[in-house]
Amino acid sequence: MSEVYKLGDLVWAKMKGFSPWPGRVSHPSKDLKKPSNTKKGPVQCIFFFGTNNYAWIEESNIKPYHEFKETLVKSSKTGAFKDAVEAIEDFIAKGEIFEDGLDPDSLFDRLKDDTISVEKRTPKTTPKMRKETPKQKRLDSAEIRRPAKKQRTESSTSNSIRVGSLSPALNHSAAARKSGSTLLNRPSNIARPVTPPLDVETLSQTLKEKNIMPSTLKFGFLGLGIMGSGIVKNLINSGHSVIVWNRTQEKCIDFVKAGAEQGLTPSDVVLAADITFSCVADPQAAKEMVFGNCGVLSEMSPDKGYVEMTGIDAETSKDIAEAINAKGGRYLEAQVQGSKTQAQEGTLVILAAGDRTLFDECQSCFEAMGKSSFYLGEVGNASKMNLVLQLMAGVTLAGLAESMALADRAGLQQKDVLELLELTSLACPAILEKGKAIIEGGFPTQLPLQHMQKDLRLSLGMSDQLEQPLPLAAAANEVYKHAKRLGYGEHDASAVYIRARF
């Protein structure tokens, strides 16, 4: 353990490509491996408040929390950053301590057990039933708030990169108790949509008809989510050599059985592959995949290619391209139009921009993934084109949701509306598919609502830069945000109907 920072110290920790973030020197999780080569000195395992993830950070990128608090808090205004600062301040205010000698997983399990036991033995009383002295009140609330003085923490992810929040429900529970239950609070009874298991080894009829001649190159793929899993399935079944990585390693098992290899970290995948694809949640995750510990940049070299398939904005794409090119690598953005079904059937539309030779080398892969691929020139053009198309889709779906809500309120049968719509010039597969989802009310995820809202937000950001008014998109974005707040972010985008109806 370093003499400068000790276990439990509160700090500001900076990952490459990101601003300093409030954290705490902690034990690493069981599967968080310490970097083998630390060129710039000793490293510390940091727990990041707000995101509840862990990463190894060089001590040169760590500063004491209280000493630099005033300066750094003023330097960032993002909502996620403010939430993280609030979390560490709440941690300080409650006087919670880190118990040395326990790994984070064990610590969380013990805290969970203690919390359950406290709830069982704490009687439900009101001020009218029992009078309390100030001292008694302080002791009772302290017992409930911090059982056994242990730190609240979630289990770490399987990688060393700080990617997303592990438990939004836990993160927001304290705030919900303070503010009380309101319409905007996430309901606790919204079940997450069930994702049926993917049959990785069965070829789709579309793929059989393509008769693809696979490339002899080796391809890496980072991210096996709703879109990535379908894409990788078709790469494997078309005969391509693939090595995969996913934050949740269990998702890799079926793909390994189907013939893929598995990398332990994103950098392992880049090292083993000639060309690596990435398809993760959003711009933040895309940057962390590249700049984070054990990320893409650590193994990027002149003989490597990197293809970003995450739905991102042009500025993020250019930042990633600059970093990849600085290491001698080649970069291509390849945005996709389509949903889960199209990804699994291999009928996506691919919009690419960047290195033309890399685009040509990926042609057999694009043929397996989709029905058409387009090269749009310099980096950023594909991201812009994708956001333009997503804006159309998002606003159209919000309009469909409001129309179906109006029909229901007017006493009309929604299935009649859809049958008549199918006979008009407005009929198209996307509208009819979403209309059926609205009528059935299950909203099985084809394109997550939170991803649609993300694309609308990025479109509005692009409009701000170009000073192009987007009043309809701005209104639609608010509707999606509200549906997301109601608990439907992981459901299909058609769940925006819930906000329109209620």
Side-chain angles (χ1 to χ4, degrees), residues 297-323:
L297 276 186
S298 61
E299 295 295 345
M300 185 54 60
S301 60
D303 59 337
K304 305 289 185 182
Y306 190 67
V307 183
E308 184 59 80
M309 303 191 78
T310 306
I312 58 178
D313 56 289
E315 287 66 34
T316 297
S317 187
K318 290 176 182 177
D319 289 345
I320 294 174
E322 182 179 352

Side-chain angles (χ1 to χ4, degrees), residues 395-414 417-418 421 426 431 438 496-497 500-501:
V395 172
T396 300
L397 180 53
L400 172 66
E402 290 195 352
S403 299
M404 297 293 270
L406 178 61
D408 183 64
R409 183 60 62 91
L412 300 174
Q413 293 293 319
Q414 291 180 335
V417 174
L418 204 61
L421 177 64
L426 291 175
I431 289 182
I438 288 173
V496 72
Y497 171 75
R501 176 65 179 83

Side-chain angles (χ1 to χ4, degrees), residues 61-124:
N61 290 324
I62 301 175
K63 296 180 180 179
Y65 177 75
H66 293 288
E67 183 178 345
F68 291 87
K69 172 184 171 183
E70 184 175 354
T71 302
L72 293 176
V73 166
K74 294 179 181 179
S75 66
S76 180
K77 305 294 183 182
T78 66
F81 179 83
K82 291 179 180 178
D83 291 342
V85 172
E86 182 179 347
I88 192 173
E89 288 298 317
D90 185 59
F91 172 83
I92 295 171
K94 291 178 179 179
E96 295 172 315
I97 62 172
F98 184 86
E99 187 167 331
D100 194 1
L102 287 180
D103 65 87
D105 294 337
S106 301
L107 201 55
F108 177 68
D109 291 339
R110 284 182 51 179
L111 173 61
K112 181 175 64 176
D113 295 339
D114 289 344
T115 303
I116 293 173
S117 63
V118 167
E119 290 176 351
K120 288 182 178 179
R121 70 172 182 267
T122 302
K124 296 183 178 179

Side-chain angles (χ1 to χ4, degrees), residues 119-237:
E119 290 176 351
K120 288 182 178 179
R121 70 172 182 267
T122 302
K124 296 183 178 179
T125 61
T126 65
K128 293 182 180 180
M129 295 173 59
R130 185 184 69 178
K131 292 184 178 180
E132 297 174 326
T133 65
K135 183 176 181 181
Q136 288 173 326
K137 188 174 182 179
R138 285 195 301 272
L139 289 174
D140 289 348
S141 62
E143 180 185 19
I144 296 173
R145 184 172 64 244
R146 88 187 135 90
K149 292 187 177 181
K150 294 185 178 69
Q151 161 64 19
R152 292 181 302 167
T153 180
E154 276 98 19
S155 300
S156 173
T157 54
S158 62
N159 64 309
S160 60
I161 302 176
R162 183 161 53 93
V163 184
S165 174
L166 296 179
S167 182
L170 288 176
N171 290 345
H172 297 300
S173 59
R177 287 195 298 270
K178 292 178 182 178
S179 61
S181 178
T182 69
L183 176 64
L184 293 181
N185 284 337
R186 174 173 177 160
S188 59
N189 60 345
I190 300 298
R192 292 188 177 185
V194 177
T195 301
L198 178 64
D199 185 358
V200 178
E201 299 185 34
T202 301
L203 277 71
S204 68
Q205 184 60 37
T206 303
L207 190 62
K208 291 178 181 178
E209 296 172 355
K210 289 182 179 180
N211 194 24
I212 297 169
M213 179 67 69
S215 170
T216 57
L217 298 175
K218 188 168 187 177
F219 297 91
F221 205 96
L222 309 175
L224 298 173
I226 286 179
M227 300 297 287
S229 58
I231 291 173
V232 173
K233 169 188 173 180
N234 288 320
L235 287 178
I236 295 173
N237 290 334

